[in-house]
Amino acid sequence: MSILDSLPDQPEEDPSPESQTSRDHWLDKEQQLMHPQLKADAPLKMVETAFLASTASLIWFINFYFPLGPVLRIFFPVPIALVYLRWGKRAAWMAALTSGLLLMVLMGPARSLLFVMPYGFMGVLLGATWYRRRVPWIVSITLGTLLGTLGVFFRLWLLSVLSGEDLWIYVITQVTEFIEWLFLKLSILASPSVFLIQVGAIALILLNNFIYLFVVHLAAWLLFERLGNPIPRPPRWVQVLMDNEG
């Protein structure tokens, strides 16, 4: 008798429905063990989105009634951008919408719109440009500056409609005084034209938003690096400057 003959026969597979059902049951269990994180992420995603949306609303609410200068204003779009970095585009839009609805309940529709446009949209925009660290700072700052400028004109339009006065006139008056002071310092014996004043007003709004977006990027870079959601690295001169100050 050979060794092969002495080996026990291999059990044949049972083609019965009971065995097939048992195998399917074990396969389902294996898939559940392989993907437990998917079920755990769903409530975490919902809780973080709601928490960060309420944080953005609370920052706006506190700054509106108890203004602390530009400190809190820097963080208006930051929580929504963090939602985008952690959970993606859909969660960021939900956070922006939730923030707007919460502020609508607390402060009314008009003030809620003043947050959503531009800061709610800006948070989604910055999150999209920072996602997976793909876009350099100059691109995201430029896009944010354009959106912030549109937000300024939207605010002037909305407040003008609600107050019944053209608030753009007040902006033009301030810019006219600044340009006249500048002409006086430069010894230019001329009066600024209306076109120059309009261009100067738009240029000052763009410059203000550009500086604001740069500071937002700097704060987000320092904060998100510690939270484990880094954004693209700043230009080399910014890193050198921060290293020297540190």
Side-chain angles (χ1 to χ4, degrees), residues 187-209:
S187 301
I188 300 176
L189 301 178
S191 298
S193 62
V194 177
F195 176 76
L196 179 60
I197 294 172
Q198 299 278 356
V199 172
I202 297 174
L204 286 176
I205 293 173
L206 286 170
L207 179 62
N208 179 67
N209 279 279

PDB file of all heavy atoms in Angstrom, residues 187-209:
ATOM      1  N   SER A 187       2.317 116.955  -3.519  1.00  0.00           N
ATOM      2  CA  SER A 187       2.365 118.293  -4.147  1.00  0.00           C
ATOM      3  C   SER A 187       1.792 118.276  -5.555  1.00  0.00           C
ATOM      4  O   SER A 187       2.330 118.906  -6.481  1.00  0.00           O
ATOM      5  CB  SER A 187       3.808 118.826  -4.165  1.00  0.00           C
ATOM      6  OG  SER A 187       4.315 118.913  -2.843  1.00  0.00           O
ATOM      7  N   ILE A 188       0.699 117.561  -5.733  1.00  0.00           N
ATOM      8  CA  ILE A 188       0.012 117.512  -7.029  1.00  0.00           C
ATOM      9  C   ILE A 188      -1.128 118.509  -6.974  1.00  0.00           C
ATOM     10  O   ILE A 188      -2.086 118.350  -6.204  1.00  0.00           O
ATOM     11  CB  ILE A 188      -0.505 116.103  -7.332  1.00  0.00           C
ATOM     12  CG1 ILE A 188       0.658 115.122  -7.375  1.00  0.00           C
ATOM     13  CG2 ILE A 188      -1.279 116.072  -8.645  1.00  0.00           C
ATOM     14  CD1 ILE A 188       0.229 113.677  -7.583  1.00  0.00           C
ATOM     15  N   LEU A 189      -1.038 119.571  -7.782  1.00  0.00           N
ATOM     16  CA  LEU A 189      -2.044 120.633  -7.763  1.00  0.00           C
ATOM     17  C   LEU A 189      -3.159 120.285  -8.746  1.00  0.00           C
ATOM     18  O   LEU A 189      -3.298 120.869  -9.826  1.00  0.00           O
ATOM     19  CB  LEU A 189      -1.391 121.966  -8.122  1.00  0.00           C
ATOM     20  CG  LEU A 189      -0.253 122.414  -7.191  1.00  0.00           C
ATOM     21  CD1 LEU A 189       0.356 123.712  -7.678  1.00  0.00           C
ATOM     22  CD2 LEU A 189      -0.756 122.535  -5.763  1.00  0.00           C
ATOM     23  N   ALA A 190      -3.957 119.317  -8.378  1.00  0.00           N
ATOM     24  CA  ALA A 190      -5.083 118.902  -9.224  1.00  0.00           C
ATOM     25  C   ALA A 190      -6.114 118.234  -8.345  1.00  0.00           C
ATOM     26  O   ALA A 190      -5.809 117.742  -7.248  1.00  0.00           O
ATOM     27  CB  ALA A 190      -4.612 117.955 -10.331  1.00  0.00           C
ATOM     28  N   SER A 191      -7.333 118.232  -8.832  1.00  0.00           N
ATOM     29  CA  SER A 191      -8.416 117.548  -8.125  1.00  0.00           C
ATOM     30  C   SER A 191      -8.626 116.172  -8.738  1.00  0.00           C
ATOM     31  O   SER A 191      -8.611 116.026  -9.972  1.00  0.00           O
ATOM     32  CB  SER A 191      -9.710 118.360  -8.226  1.00  0.00           C
ATOM     33  OG  SER A 191      -9.557 119.627  -7.607  1.00  0.00           O
ATOM     34  N   PRO A 192      -8.786 115.161  -7.928  1.00  0.00           N
ATOM     35  CA  PRO A 192      -8.985 113.815  -8.488  1.00  0.00           C
ATOM     36  C   PRO A 192     -10.309 113.722  -9.234  1.00  0.00           C
ATOM     37  O   PRO A 192     -11.327 114.246  -8.798  1.00  0.00           O
ATOM     38  CB  PRO A 192      -8.980 112.915  -7.237  1.00  0.00           C
ATOM     39  CG  PRO A 192      -9.354 113.826  -6.110  1.00  0.00           C
ATOM     40  CD  PRO A 192      -8.814 115.166  -6.459  1.00  0.00           C
ATOM     41  N   SER A 193     -10.261 113.044 -10.362  1.00  0.00           N
ATOM     42  CA  SER A 193     -11.466 112.866 -11.169  1.00  0.00           C
ATOM     43  C   SER A 193     -12.368 111.802 -10.551  1.00  0.00           C
ATOM     44  O   SER A 193     -11.949 111.016  -9.689  1.00  0.00           O
ATOM     45  CB  SER A 193     -11.092 112.467 -12.598  1.00  0.00           C
ATOM     46  OG  SER A 193     -10.409 111.216 -12.590  1.00  0.00           O
ATOM     47  N   VAL A 194     -13.609 111.785 -11.020  1.00  0.00           N
ATOM     48  CA  VAL A 194     -14.564 110.792 -10.518  1.00  0.00           C
ATOM     49  C   VAL A 194     -14.102 109.382 -10.871  1.00  0.00           C
ATOM     50  O   VAL A 194     -14.211 108.458 -10.050  1.00  0.00           O
ATOM     51  CB  VAL A 194     -15.966 111.072 -11.092  1.00  0.00           C
ATOM     52  CG1 VAL A 194     -16.956 110.001 -10.642  1.00  0.00           C
ATOM     53  CG2 VAL A 194     -16.446 112.451 -10.669  1.00  0.00           C
ATOM     54  N   PHE A 195     -13.564 109.213 -12.068  1.00  0.00           N
ATOM     55  CA  PHE A 195     -13.082 107.892 -12.485  1.00  0.00           C
ATOM     56  C   PHE A 195     -11.942 107.426 -11.591  1.00  0.00           C
ATOM     57  O   PHE A 195     -11.890 106.266 -11.179  1.00  0.00           O
ATOM     58  CB  PHE A 195     -12.632 107.945 -13.942  1.00  0.00           C
ATOM     59  CG  PHE A 195     -12.032 106.669 -14.433  1.00  0.00           C
ATOM     60  CD1 PHE A 195     -12.830 105.570 -14.737  1.00  0.00           C
ATOM     61  CD2 PHE A 195     -10.655 106.538 -14.580  1.00  0.00           C
ATOM     62  CE1 PHE A 195     -12.276 104.379 -15.180  1.00  0.00           C
ATOM     63  CE2 PHE A 195     -10.087 105.354 -15.016  1.00  0.00           C
ATOM     64  CZ  PHE A 195     -10.904 104.275 -15.324  1.00  0.00           C
ATOM     65  N   LEU A 196     -11.029 108.352 -11.273  1.00  0.00           N
ATOM     66  CA  LEU A 196      -9.891 107.990 -10.416  1.00  0.00           C
ATOM     67  C   LEU A 196     -10.377 107.613  -9.016  1.00  0.00           C
ATOM     68  O   LEU A 196      -9.858 106.674  -8.401  1.00  0.00           O
ATOM     69  CB  LEU A 196      -8.909 109.157 -10.340  1.00  0.00           C
ATOM     70  CG  LEU A 196      -7.665 108.949  -9.463  1.00  0.00           C
ATOM     71  CD1 LEU A 196      -6.846 107.776  -9.982  1.00  0.00           C
ATOM     72  CD2 LEU A 196      -6.824 110.214  -9.402  1.00  0.00           C
ATOM     73  N   ILE A 197     -11.383 108.313  -8.540  1.00  0.00           N
ATOM     74  CA  ILE A 197     -11.913 107.999  -7.211  1.00  0.00           C
ATOM     75  C   ILE A 197     -12.572 106.628  -7.205  1.00  0.00           C
ATOM     76  O   ILE A 197     -12.395 105.837  -6.270  1.00  0.00           O
ATOM     77  CB  ILE A 197     -12.900 109.094  -6.775  1.00  0.00           C
ATOM     78  CG1 ILE A 197     -12.168 110.424  -6.570  1.00  0.00           C
ATOM     79  CG2 ILE A 197     -13.624 108.687  -5.497  1.00  0.00           C
ATOM     80  CD1 ILE A 197     -13.080 111.600  -6.315  1.00  0.00           C
ATOM     81  N   GLN A 198     -13.338 106.300  -8.255  1.00  0.00           N
ATOM     82  CA  GLN A 198     -13.983 104.995  -8.340  1.00  0.00           C
ATOM     83  C   GLN A 198     -12.945 103.872  -8.406  1.00  0.00           C
ATOM     84  O   GLN A 198     -13.068 102.854  -7.704  1.00  0.00           O
ATOM     85  CB  GLN A 198     -14.883 104.945  -9.589  1.00  0.00           C
ATOM     86  CG  GLN A 198     -15.996 105.959  -9.619  1.00  0.00           C
ATOM     87  CD  GLN A 198     -17.208 105.515  -8.822  1.00  0.00           C
ATOM     88  OE1 GLN A 198     -17.244 104.410  -8.297  1.00  0.00           O
ATOM     89  NE2 GLN A 198     -18.202 106.384  -8.723  1.00  0.00           N
ATOM     90  N   VAL A 199     -11.926 104.078  -9.224  1.00  0.00           N
ATOM     91  CA  VAL A 199     -10.859 103.072  -9.325  1.00  0.00           C
ATOM     92  C   VAL A 199     -10.113 102.941  -8.003  1.00  0.00           C
ATOM     93  O   VAL A 199      -9.756 101.839  -7.572  1.00  0.00           O
ATOM     94  CB  VAL A 199      -9.894 103.427 -10.476  1.00  0.00           C
ATOM     95  CG1 VAL A 199      -8.680 102.515 -10.471  1.00  0.00           C
ATOM     96  CG2 VAL A 199     -10.604 103.343 -11.810  1.00  0.00           C
ATOM     97  N   GLY A 200      -9.863 104.067  -7.351  1.00  0.00           N
ATOM     98  CA  GLY A 200      -9.176 104.023  -6.066  1.00  0.00           C
ATOM     99  C   GLY A 200      -9.981 103.289  -5.000  1.00  0.00           C
ATOM    100  O   GLY A 200      -9.418 102.547  -4.192  1.00  0.00           O
ATOM    101  N   ALA A 201     -11.302 103.453  -5.016  1.00  0.00           N
ATOM    102  CA  ALA A 201     -12.147 102.752  -4.054  1.00  0.00           C
ATOM    103  C   ALA A 201     -12.091 101.245  -4.268  1.00  0.00           C
ATOM    104  O   ALA A 201     -11.948 100.466  -3.316  1.00  0.00           O
ATOM    105  CB  ALA A 201     -13.586 103.253  -4.172  1.00  0.00           C
ATOM    106  N   ILE A 202     -12.180 100.827  -5.522  1.00  0.00           N
ATOM    107  CA  ILE A 202     -12.116  99.389  -5.827  1.00  0.00           C
ATOM    108  C   ILE A 202     -10.742  98.831  -5.486  1.00  0.00           C
ATOM    109  O   ILE A 202     -10.618  97.720  -4.942  1.00  0.00           O
ATOM    110  CB  ILE A 202     -12.463  99.145  -7.308  1.00  0.00           C
ATOM    111  CG1 ILE A 202     -13.909  99.584  -7.580  1.00  0.00           C
ATOM    112  CG2 ILE A 202     -12.273  97.688  -7.687  1.00  0.00           C
ATOM    113  CD1 ILE A 202     -14.299  99.506  -9.047  1.00  0.00           C
ATOM    114  N   ALA A 203      -9.687  99.623  -5.783  1.00  0.00           N
ATOM    115  CA  ALA A 203      -8.327  99.160  -5.479  1.00  0.00           C
ATOM    116  C   ALA A 203      -8.124  99.007  -3.977  1.00  0.00           C
ATOM    117  O   ALA A 203      -7.498  98.031  -3.521  1.00  0.00           O
ATOM    118  CB  ALA A 203      -7.303 100.133  -6.058  1.00  0.00           C
ATOM    119  N   LEU A 204      -8.661  99.909  -3.181  1.00  0.00           N
ATOM    120  CA  LEU A 204      -8.519  99.805  -1.734  1.00  0.00           C
ATOM    121  C   LEU A 204      -9.287  98.603  -1.185  1.00  0.00           C
ATOM    122  O   LEU A 204      -8.813  97.923  -0.263  1.00  0.00           O
ATOM    123  CB  LEU A 204      -9.015 101.093  -1.067  1.00  0.00           C
ATOM    124  CG  LEU A 204      -8.094 102.311  -1.203  1.00  0.00           C
ATOM    125  CD1 LEU A 204      -8.747 103.537  -0.572  1.00  0.00           C
ATOM    126  CD2 LEU A 204      -6.740 102.043  -0.544  1.00  0.00           C
ATOM    127  N   ILE A 205     -10.451  98.323  -1.754  1.00  0.00           N
ATOM    128  CA  ILE A 205     -11.205  97.147  -1.325  1.00  0.00           C
ATOM    129  C   ILE A 205     -10.446  95.869  -1.670  1.00  0.00           C
ATOM    130  O   ILE A 205     -10.359  94.936  -0.856  1.00  0.00           O
ATOM    131  CB  ILE A 205     -12.606  97.150  -1.976  1.00  0.00           C
ATOM    132  CG1 ILE A 205     -13.437  98.311  -1.426  1.00  0.00           C
ATOM    133  CG2 ILE A 205     -13.327  95.834  -1.713  1.00  0.00           C
ATOM    134  CD1 ILE A 205     -14.766  98.495  -2.127  1.00  0.00           C
ATOM    135  N   LEU A 206      -9.868  95.820  -2.870  1.00  0.00           N
ATOM    136  CA  LEU A 206      -9.076  94.651  -3.263  1.00  0.00           C
ATOM    137  C   LEU A 206      -7.858  94.478  -2.369  1.00  0.00           C
ATOM    138  O   LEU A 206      -7.537  93.364  -1.936  1.00  0.00           O
ATOM    139  CB  LEU A 206      -8.642  94.783  -4.721  1.00  0.00           C
ATOM    140  CG  LEU A 206      -9.714  94.555  -5.787  1.00  0.00           C
ATOM    141  CD1 LEU A 206      -9.195  94.972  -7.162  1.00  0.00           C
ATOM    142  CD2 LEU A 206     -10.139  93.083  -5.814  1.00  0.00           C
ATOM    143  N   LEU A 207      -7.175  95.587  -2.072  1.00  0.00           N
ATOM    144  CA  LEU A 207      -5.987  95.510  -1.221  1.00  0.00           C
ATOM    145  C   LEU A 207      -6.345  95.054   0.186  1.00  0.00           C
ATOM    146  O   LEU A 207      -5.647  94.219   0.777  1.00  0.00           O
ATOM    147  CB  LEU A 207      -5.298  96.873  -1.177  1.00  0.00           C
ATOM    148  CG  LEU A 207      -4.047  96.980  -0.296  1.00  0.00           C
ATOM    149  CD1 LEU A 207      -2.958  96.038  -0.790  1.00  0.00           C
ATOM    150  CD2 LEU A 207      -3.538  98.415  -0.244  1.00  0.00           C
ATOM    151  N   ASN A 208      -7.439  95.567   0.717  1.00  0.00           N
ATOM    152  CA  ASN A 208      -7.866  95.177   2.058  1.00  0.00           C
ATOM    153  C   ASN A 208      -8.190  93.688   2.118  1.00  0.00           C
ATOM    154  O   ASN A 208      -7.798  92.988   3.066  1.00  0.00           O
ATOM    155  CB  ASN A 208      -9.074  96.004   2.461  1.00  0.00           C
ATOM    156  CG  ASN A 208      -9.583  95.637   3.846  1.00  0.00           C
ATOM    157  OD1 ASN A 208      -8.907  95.861   4.844  1.00  0.00           O
ATOM    158  ND2 ASN A 208     -10.771  95.065   3.908  1.00  0.00           N
ATOM    159  N   ASN A 209      -8.877  93.182   1.105  1.00  0.00           N
ATOM    160  CA  ASN A 209      -9.216  91.760   1.082  1.00  0.00           C
ATOM    161  C   ASN A 209      -7.991  90.890   0.848  1.00  0.00           C
ATOM    162  O   ASN A 209      -7.905  89.776   1.389  1.00  0.00           O
ATOM    163  CB  ASN A 209     -10.261  91.492  -0.003  1.00  0.00           C
ATOM    164  CG  ASN A 209     -11.663  91.839   0.447  1.00  0.00           C
ATOM    165  OD1 ASN A 209     -12.329  91.083   1.137  1.00  0.00           O
ATOM    166  ND2 ASN A 209     -12.117  93.018   0.050  1.00  0.00           N
TER     167      ASN A 209
END
